[in-house]
Amino acid sequence: MNKAFVKESDGDDDDELALPAIPAGTRNYMTPAGHKRIKDELLHLIDVDRPEVVRIVHWAASNGDRSENGDYIYGKRRLREIDRRIRFLTKRLDIAEVVDPTIHHGNDQIFFGATVTYENQDGIEHTVTIVGIDELDPLNGKISWISPVARTLTKAREGDEVTLQTPAGVEQLTILEVSYPARQD
């Protein structure tokens, strides 16, 4: 197929659309574990993935005609994806502020990094951990600090009742337990 008929996006917004935007004027809060995970991914892309794809593209380019060379075309596309991800991760790490939740160990007030067990008005218990935007994993109980639930819970204490505004209406949440990880020395 002629390259004139193939549209390839070089936009930088693909990764940024996948995650919620960081509120204006704030830092990209993350836990030490989340920071390490993102930094490890960035280093792996730079040290392992990108050099391997560059080697493949170099080999494919040496084979001659590039217009119908699948290894070359796919390699160049993969290289753009890797470079886009590297730029995205670098931007996220540049504005990162690592917050260690262990400083609140033993505290019953909810801040960033807290693991909170609460009960809704139907008597259903939920356990969530408040983490950074880049660490969120709702299926495993990790919610972003900018989520409505996290904002509602923040600064409340064990035993408090808080009001959560949902699209379905107002919901009362009772905070049952607040915990923070212990410092590992």
Side-chain angles (χ1 to χ4, degrees):
M1 176 181 276
N2 188 334
K3 193 170 186 173
F5 296 107
V6 178
K7 182 175 183 328
E8 293 183 23
S9 172
D10 270 340
D12 292 335
D13 299 335
D14 293 352
D15 288 330
E16 290 155 13
L17 293 176
L19 294 169
I22 298 169
T26 62
R27 302 282 291 170
N28 184 18
Y29 297 110
M30 60 179 63
T31 63
H35 186 267
K36 181 182 181 333
R37 184 186 56 77
I38 289 174
K39 192 171 182 181
D40 288 348
E41 179 185 353
L42 177 63
L43 292 175
H44 188 268
L45 286 171
I46 292 170
D47 296 338
V48 178
D49 291 349
R50 192 172 195 289
E52 177 65 18
V53 173
V54 166
R55 187 186 62 73
I56 291 169
V57 168
H58 178 73
W59 168 81
S62 70
N63 289 337
D65 185 15
R66 296 175 185 176
S67 65
E68 295 183 18
N69 185 333
D71 289 328
Y72 179 79
I73 293 169
Y74 173 75
K76 291 293 280 186
R77 182 177 300 139
R78 179 71 182 125
L79 201 53
R80 282 191 298 275
E81 292 169 359
I82 290 171
D83 288 343
R84 185 177 12 235
R85 184 70 179 165
I86 288 171
R87 282 191 306 274
F88 174 76
L89 293 174
T90 302
K91 286 178 191 175
R92 289 298 237 211
L93 288 174
D94 285 346
I95 60 171
E97 185 167 322
V98 179
V99 178
D100 189 0
T102 62
I103 62 172
H104 295 294
H105 182 71
N107 194 346
D108 71 341
Q109 191 170 15
I110 301 170
F111 297 107
F112 182 85
T115 298
V116 182
T117 302
Y118 66 89
E119 182 178 78
N120 65 12
Q121 58 199 23
D122 298 328
I124 300 170
E125 283 189 20
H126 299 275
T127 300
V128 296
T129 301
I130 301 171
V131 296
I133 293 169
D134 299 313
E135 304 172 77
L136 75 101
D137 184 3
L139 297 177
N140 290 315
K142 292 184 177 186
I143 61 172
S144 165
W145 66 274
I146 64 167
S147 71
V149 173
R151 287 181 179 239
T152 299
L153 294 173
T154 300
K155 295 191 180 173
R157 294 183 180 277
E158 215 171 273
D160 286 355
E161 216 173 88
V162 293
T163 304
L164 173 65
Q165 295 287 337
T166 68
V170 176
E171 190 170 345
Q172 294 297 320
L173 307 177
T174 304
I175 300 167
L176 304 175
E177 184 182 356
V178 178
S179 65
Y180 293 91
R183 187 173 293 268
Q184 302 289 322
D185 289 325

